[in-house]
Amino acid sequence: MNIIVCIKQVPGTSEVEVDQETGVLKREGIDSKMNPYDLFAIETAIKIKEENSAKVSVISMGPPQAAEIIREAYMMGVDEGALISDRVFGGADVLATSYTISQGVQKFGQYDLIICGKQTTDGDTAQVGPELAEFLKIPHIANVKKIVEVKEHSIIVDMDMPHAVQTVEVNYPCLITVEKDINQPRLPSFKRKMATKNQAIPIYSFNDFIDQNENNYGINGSPTRVIRIFSPEANNDREMWKDTPGVLVDRLVNKLKELKYV
Amino acid sequence: MAKIVIDQEKITDPQALLELCPFDALEWDNDYLSINAACKMCKMCVKKGPAGVFTFIEDEVVIIDKSQWQGIVVYVDHMDGNIHPVTLELIGKAKELAAKVNYPVYCLFMGYNIADKAQELLQYGVDEVFVYDDEELKHFRIEPYAAVFEEFISKVKPSIALVGGTTVGRSLAPRMAARFRTGLTADCTVLDVAENTDLAQIRPAFGGNIMAHIVTPNTRPQFATVRYKVFSPAEKTSSPTGKVTVCTIPKASLVSQIRVLQVKPKEKVKSIEDAEVIVVAGGGIKSSKDMEMLQVLADKLGGMVATTRPLIEAGFADPRLQIGLSGRTVKPKLIITCGVSGAVQFVAGMDSSENIIAINTDENAPIFNVAHYGIIGDLYKIVPDLIERLSSNHE
């Protein structure tokens, strides 16, 4: 069984801000880490591997330094990985990103199951998984909270819906996105770290892909355009209270009375 | 082919140029400046760099005929025919947008044994409800649902498609956007429409404390998802004029690789989306046992406790109690945030609340930009006192 896990490097401490005076994006504390939701996807894959003999691969897309998270995945027990990285892919929106990853996935050859995290912490859109499945023409199940059974030609999972849990069986090849409650990700192991420290991380660039039309990638393959970025509007109709705790509580009680909560 | 080109001859201070990029995508190597894969095409270097060094060039694109695409469709989210209230909120917004560009408002309603529910939607002033009623659509399975959506789009050619940011919507909308190779903007917090029928979509972006205005300028339909409780529901009209159109789709289009084995209803827990009063615990809460204090305050006000993402990650509360882009969006009558700094991802999940009271020790915390009443103080001093005062008031 072949499993591919899609992972992404995200800013470690978020908070990119717009400088009010110059309009320039400020970059403070942009260290990077693996998207925390992806750890659950990797763990899901490794668990399946341990119980059913499988090969687990990871794929990521990003700048060259995103190779760090592939190394981290190796330390968790992933067998192989690759990074999709090329300037041609710059400025990709969800559609172009999903399409690019779909090209990268096909480089791994035959696969049975693709696992994605529920969403990333930087984009928060939760769209790449379903769009990737569409480009690969395979079914997908989002919000998987439990792997019930891994069978030879299909997998049974519990999908989390707002008012119900739907147990479904889906044939391979398919894609699932997993919730963070699905398991407890293991920590990278030191033994694995030593064992994999020289393991290669292949880079896939535009020239490696089957589709050689540049217009399907990066900003050219992106139907959406960001036409303006700005700081969230401040609410002008506001009051600031600065006082001793006693006075603050008095004012708060009066306000709650005024709003009829007391 | 759009790209940013660099005129190497005009570079005088390479170090200063590297600083221009908020994503570290510029590299200076061997006296040569290049752009790597980290580029997000924000064009900050073009706008803020010295004249002539960075140039953005874009080939002329073939402009599509937007008049071929008319109307706004709202996907009707439901479970066994019980329509999710986000649908009514989207209808309300769709009507507002439609009035500006003289578009009809459609609903796309698919499921099994739902035909009689379609009439209900007309009461909200929808022009036409398209119903696909088939046993294969009883449970949500991606391929049949996507097939119906595709069939509808190909037939009706709506310019804009609004989908609720629900479990089903977040699965279906991206699938459709990819199928039509068009844009999808998730979790929009503001929507407007321009005269040229381009949808103005505003949402937090780049994972930071900034908002982005996003358009889909040259593809149709324009997909947007919006979460529950972001917009106000449509009002009922006294004289509905719309109609219900029942459509069929060949069974062969509804095949699926997915078999639904069991649907187990969850125990009903009251969700924070439905609470009128919410007390929010933020990073200022020091330990999980302090959550009890906020619960007491919430009980006094007849509300619920919710939290920010870091507290969920620390295991202080059930993930269903998380407010923000990766949690729930809430719009209560009153929200009191305690020790919440107000990251944009959190604020996007609560800033349309009617009354926002924020308690925080740091007067520069961004939460005070959205709070109607900003209280600069220590929650550990204020909340216990407040509880005591509220208790004595009741006696």
Side-chain angles (χ1 to χ4, degrees):
Chain A
M1 177 178 192
N2 290 321
I3 305 173
I4 299 174
V5 184
C6 302
I7 60 176
K8 186 185 181 189
Q9 192 176 44
V10 296
T13 44
S14 76
E15 306 325 318
V16 181
E17 283 180 39
V18 183
D19 186 310
Q20 296 287 5
E21 308 235 313
T22 62
V24 173
L25 285 170
K26 286 193 284 191
R27 44 165 183 185
E28 275 164 35
I30 305 198
D31 50 339
S32 301
K33 62 175 181 184
M34 185 172 338
N35 172 40
Y37 292 98
D38 297 342
L39 296 169
F40 302 95
I42 294 177
E43 180 65 31
T44 304
I46 298 175
K47 276 222 167 81
I48 293 175
K49 173 184 156 177
E50 286 168 349
E51 286 156 26
N52 312 267
S53 95
K55 185 177 84 179
V56 179
S57 314
V58 288
I59 189 162
S60 186
M61 173 172 162
Q65 59 266 33
E68 290 162 20
I69 59 166
I70 291 177
R71 194 144 304 283
E72 189 180 337
Y74 287 165
M75 294 179 212
M76 287 176 74
V78 164
D79 299 300
E80 60 171 43
L83 175 67
I84 301 169
S85 188
D86 195 316
R87 196 196 148 186
V88 173
F89 308 143
D93 70 0
V94 171
L95 189 89
T97 301
S98 311
Y99 184 72
T100 308
I101 297 172
S102 77
Q103 287 285 313
V105 162
Q106 292 172 54
K107 299 278 297 173
F108 282 98
Q110 220 182 351
Y111 57 87
D112 302 289
L113 178 64
I114 298 178
I115 309 179
C116 299
K118 182 191 177 186
Q119 62 196 52
T120 61
T121 55
D122 59 346
D124 264 320
T125 65
Q127 291 171 349
V128 170
E131 291 212 5
L132 173 59
E134 174 68 23
F135 282 125
L136 294 170
K137 298 191 164 45
I138 58 174
H140 79 265
I141 309 284
N143 303 89
V144 169
K145 57 179 275 182
K146 190 180 172 191
I147 306 290
V148 179
E149 191 184 348
V150 178
K151 296 164 87 169
E152 200 186 338
H153 300 291
S154 63
I155 186 167
I156 301 176
V157 299
D158 277 352
M159 168 168 67
D160 198 24
M161 305 278 281
H163 302 294
V165 175
Q166 201 163 305
T167 306
V168 298
E169 178 170 5
V170 52
N171 297 342
Y172 305 131
C174 61
L175 181 148
I176 61 173
T177 75
V178 297
E179 292 279 343
K180 63 180 183 145
D181 303 331
I182 193 164
N183 53 39
Q184 182 65 43
R186 69 196 63 197
L187 294 168
S189 106
F190 181 73
K191 212 171 120 197
R192 290 272 319 164
K193 182 178 177 174
M194 298 318 286
T196 60
K197 78 175 177 212
N198 295 320
Q199 188 174 343
I201 297 172
I203 305 282
Y204 295 159
S205 63
F206 171 69
N207 293 328
D208 298 315
F209 287 168
I210 299 166
D211 180 359
Q212 284 294 303
N213 183 351
E214 281 196 30
N215 284 322
N216 289 332
Y217 301 95
I219 192 171
N220 301 294
S222 299
T224 61
R225 287 284 182 277
V226 175
I227 58 173
R228 189 168 68 97
I229 52 172
F230 55 99
S231 291
E233 275 167 42
N235 173 2
N236 294 321
D237 191 23
R238 63 199 167 102
E239 295 174 17
M240 291 287 272
W241 303 352
K242 197 174 181 177
D243 222 311
T244 60
V247 175
L248 287 174
V249 172
D250 279 346
R251 293 185 68 176
L252 192 46
V253 171
N254 289 335
K255 183 50 74 181
L256 291 174
K257 278 182 182 161
E258 193 189 309
L259 296 172
K260 304 204 165 37
Y261 285 99
V262 180
Chain B
M1 181 61 211
K3 57 182 150 192
I4 294 169
V5 288
I6 301 173
D7 185 345
Q8 304 286 339
E9 302 291 311
K10 292 196 176 142
I11 297 169
T12 51
D13 183 356
Q15 283 312 315
L17 294 182
L18 298 184
E19 294 293 315
L20 284 170
C21 180
F23 302 105
D24 272 335
L26 291 169
E27 284 175 14
W28 179 250
D29 199 24
N30 281 332
D31 283 343
Y32 191 86
L33 188 69
S34 59
I35 301 173
N36 73 22
C39 175
K40 294 207 191 301
M41 283 283 175
C42 70
K43 291 179 257 174
M44 209 46 93
C45 54
V46 179
K47 284 177 211 150
K48 302 293 169 187
V53 177
F54 300 95
T55 317
F56 179 70
I57 51 166
E58 192 164 21
D59 287 352
E60 228 165 271
V61 287
V62 182
I63 304 296
I64 61 156
D65 179 5
K66 292 175 185 171
S67 68
Q68 297 292 310
W69 300 82
Q70 301 272 338
I72 303 177
V73 61
V74 171
Y75 172 76
V76 180
D77 201 292
H78 70 99
M79 175 107 178
D80 299 329
N82 297 314
I83 294 167
H84 191 292
V86 72
T87 308
L88 306 182
E89 297 171 2
L90 294 179
I91 292 172
K93 179 53 75 173
K95 283 167 68 182
E96 190 190 311
L97 300 174
K100 291 186 182 176
V101 284
N102 199 20
Y103 269 169
V105 172
Y106 307 125
C107 277
L108 171 59
F109 195 10
M110 61 182 94
Y112 182 50
N113 281 337
I114 52 163
D116 54 322
K117 300 269 182 180
Q119 290 293 336
E120 271 178 36
L121 292 163
L122 294 180
Q123 296 170 22
Y124 296 94
V126 175
D127 295 299
E128 191 166 357
V129 181
F130 293 83
V131 177
Y132 291 80
D133 198 318
D134 195 299
E135 197 173 355
E136 294 297 324
L137 301 170
K138 185 174 194 311
H139 298 294
F140 172 68
R141 290 177 305 163
I142 190 65
E143 309 105 305
Y145 269 60
V148 170
F149 213 136
E150 179 187 355
E151 149 92 13
F152 167 80
I153 289 174
S154 304
K155 184 164 78 180
V156 178
K157 290 186 175 291
S159 174
I160 296 169
L162 303 181
V163 181
T166 59
T167 311
V168 168
R170 287 161 83 96
S171 227
L172 193 52
R175 196 97 202 183
M176 295 327 296
R179 191 162 296 184
F180 286 89
R181 294 219 167 209
T182 185
L184 161 60
T185 306
D187 299 331
C188 298
T189 54
V190 177
L191 287 176
D192 201 352
V193 66
E195 237 172 88
N196 70 356
T197 72
D198 281 359
L199 187 63
Q201 306 159 112
I202 293 177
R203 78 177 305 267
F206 295 134
N209 220 7
I210 48 177
M211 307 295 286
H213 174 172
I214 299 165
V215 292
T216 305
N218 201 37
T219 52
R220 292 291 184 267
Q222 309 165 78
F223 278 90
T225 65
V226 180
R227 299 167 66 150
Y228 178 35
K229 293 276 178 180
V230 171
F231 296 138
S232 303
E235 305 271 337
K236 282 194 181 180
T237 104
S238 48
S239 51
T241 55
K243 59 172 181 178
V244 174
T245 303
V246 178
C247 308
T248 52
I249 180 166
K251 286 270 183 200
S253 305
L254 301 179
V255 291
S256 175
Q257 298 296 316
I258 302 167
R259 293 166 295 285
V260 176
L261 306 179
Q262 189 190 39
V263 179
K264 208 163 43 182
K266 280 192 210 166
E267 207 182 307
K268 276 221 170 76
V269 257
K270 195 181 169 203
S271 81
I272 53 173
E273 283 125 315
D274 298 320
E276 293 211 344
V277 178
I278 297 176
V279 176
V280 188
I285 292 290
K286 291 173 194 148
S287 82
S288 64
K289 72 177 196 324
D290 298 339
M291 297 291 290
E292 284 166 30
M293 171 175 81
L294 298 189
Q295 187 62 55
V296 173
L297 177 59
D299 289 345
K300 294 275 175 221
L301 297 168
M304 289 179 73
V305 170
T307 78
T308 58
R309 178 154 75 199
L311 266 64
I312 298 293
E313 284 171 0
F316 283 18
D318 187 300
R320 282 173 295 196
L321 301 180
Q322 184 194 331
I323 293 175
L325 274 190
S326 51
R328 310 290 173 101
T329 303
V330 297
K331 199 177 175 181
K333 291 204 160 61
L334 171 68
I335 188 164
I336 304 177
T337 70
C338 304
V340 174
S341 62
V344 75
Q345 310 279 0
F346 169 79
V347 167
M350 52 66 79
D351 63 351
S352 43
S353 305
E354 275 177 47
N355 288 289
I356 303 172
I357 298 177
I359 306 172
N360 199 306
T361 47
D362 174 9
E363 61 184 284
N364 296 317
I367 190 71
F368 290 130
N369 293 330
V370 291
H372 302 104
Y373 308 100
I375 301 176
I376 302 157
D378 181 353
L379 77 99
Y380 284 93
K381 294 207 172 84
I382 293 168
V383 175
D385 265 18
L386 180 61
I387 290 170
E388 206 181 305
R389 289 283 298 275
L390 295 180
S391 309
S392 59
N393 252 310
H394 283 298
E395 280 153 17

